[in-house]
Amino acid sequence: EPDDTPAPGTPDAEFENSLRPRRLSEVVGQRKVVERLGITLDAARRRGEPLGHLLLDGPPGLGKTTLATVVPRELDPDGGPGNIQFTSGPALRAPHDLVAYLTCATRGSVLFIDEIHRLPPAVEEYLYPAMEDFRVDIVMGEGTGARTVSLNIEPFTVIGATTRSGMLTAPLRDRFVNHERVEYYEVSDLAEIVRRNAAKLGLTVEGDAAEQLARRSRGTPRKANNLLRWCRDFTQVHSERGVLTPTLAARALEMREVDALGLEDQDRRYLRTIIEAFAGGPVGLSTLSHALSVPTDTLEDEVEPYLLRCGLMQRTSRGRVATVRAWEHLGLDRAADGGS
Ligand code: ATP
């Protein structure tokens, strides 16, 4: 799997669900996305229509699932959770896998398709008439007696999530009237998420402990939650009062081995490999993938976007290059390593 999304039904997934904002007003950061979505939702509510199909694009853990779960809740006239079904591109292997979801869709409900760029072409084509005309074609019977029946379904909304909107075919992309890109979060927003989620977990956080966690979360709420969870355990064991103080947070983070920029072992290994095995680059993605035994997808979706954002590497036409900043960050001497 290209990201660390917890598998459904596991304790990790339950932890994540329990911390998920329920309303648009509880979503921290992503101000422009939230504003635009607010308007689209308001208009849909006033017209009594489902939301236009929505494509959410961006690195893992930035709140795509969260935004999707908020939509049906915002549209539910009784203020309930609304109706949302979850599936993913790889799980939909053939058109018939999609039929049950489509026929179960209620008016205004959401069908969330994670990793929508991985939909098989046949499934994708089957989705078009459903998205466009709220219609599915079902084959009845077999062999020469088989006939196709066209069935109307309730007007609903597809919310597609992808780490790679560039890999979507043009016809699929065109069927999404709304397209939003989620970006890495500012430290102040992440600190706010940490404070809110600590409160939900019943953990008291003092001083700048929340900021410390935020700075080491790689701009990613999911990482912030995972650090918070670790700090909660650490507090349980090391603090009589059960309070996460700045000192305790620093000790907990030190032990977790995330560095000052929030880089984890895999990120540092990536940079170290370019620098030590390939003299700082340029090196091709697949070569790097072999050297690290990490799939190219993971490197492209999970590792590189954040390193790029930190200015630690560059993508050039000849391959990946470590920047001066990477040498400095790892405490390596560029001249001694033969870099130029
Ligand atoms: P993936 O694409 O890998 O499924 P995602 O982008 O869908 O990831 P979510 O599962 O929505 O990420 O977010 C992970 C967790 O981060 C949520 O449980 C929630 O606690 C927190 N979170 C994400 N975005 C926000 C936000 N904008 N405000 C508050 N909390 C957030």
Side-chain angles (χ1 to χ4, degrees), residues 3-6 13 15-21 26-30 34 58-69 112 114 161-163 182 185 189 193 196-197 200 220-223 225:
D3 63 53
D4 52 5
T5 309
F15 175 79
E16 196 149 272
N17 281 334
S18 69
L19 297 181
R20 205 161 257 151
E26 294 169 29
V27 174
V28 177
Q30 308 291 347
V34 168
L62 298 190
K64 298 186 292 296
T65 309
T66 297
L67 287 169
T69 52
F112 181 71
D114 204 4
T162 180
T163 47
V182 289
Y185 289 67
D189 289 333
I193 293 174
R196 288 185 191 196
N197 289 348
K200 286 187 194 170
T220 308
R222 178 176 295 136
K223 302 267 180 201
N225 283 345

Side-chain angles (χ1 to χ4, degrees), residues 161-209:
T162 180
T163 47
R164 311 262 186 111
S165 60
M167 269 174 65
L168 255 62
T169 64
L172 181 59
R173 206 171 28 233
D174 290 348
R175 282 170 174 85
F176 287 97
V177 284
N178 305 301
H179 186 175
E180 293 292 354
R181 193 180 158 78
V182 289
E183 297 290 345
Y184 287 111
Y185 289 67
E186 303 294 331
V187 169
S188 56
D189 289 333
L190 289 168
E192 179 60 25
I193 293 174
V194 169
R195 278 189 292 267
R196 288 185 191 196
N197 289 348
K200 286 187 194 170
L201 295 170
L203 177 70
T204 309
V205 176
E206 276 182 3
D208 77 340

Side-chain angles (χ1 to χ4, degrees), residues 88-98 119-123:
S88 74
L92 297 168
R93 271 174 296 211
H96 73 254
D97 293 327
L98 194 56
L119 273 184
V123 179

